[in-house]
């Protein structure tokens, strides 16, 4: 799976549906699933849409 470098979202395809970018990487680690955008982790990662995200992207 690849990760968007802009929002760190874990993607199925080759374009991030949120950023509309193909600026992706497969060099990432840590997976977090965000359901609640008000949660501390969502805020600290600046996540604006629920979904799966990488904790670290290089
Ligand atoms: Zn993105």
């Amino acid at each position: 799976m690849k990760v968007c470098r802009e929002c760190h979202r874990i993607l199925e395809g080759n374009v991030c549906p949120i950023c509309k970018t193909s600026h992706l990487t497969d060099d990432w680690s840590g997976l977090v699933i965000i359901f609640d955008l008000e949660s501390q982790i969502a805020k600290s990662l600046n996540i604006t849409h629920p979904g799966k995200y990488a904790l670290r992207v290089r």
Side-chain angles (χ1 to χ4, degrees), residues 4 6-9 16 18-21:
C4 173
E6 310 296 333
C7 67
H8 294 187
R9 189 178 179 88
C16 177
I18 296 172
C19 308
K20 315 291 186 198
T21 175

Side-chain angles (χ1 to χ4, degrees), residues 35-55:
F35 296 106
D36 179 9
L37 296 177
E38 297 302 312
S39 67
Q40 223 33 265
I41 182 91
K43 286 180 175 173
S44 67
L45 294 172
N46 287 322
I47 289 170
T48 55
H49 294 75
K52 287 184 283 187
Y53 291 85
L55 283 176

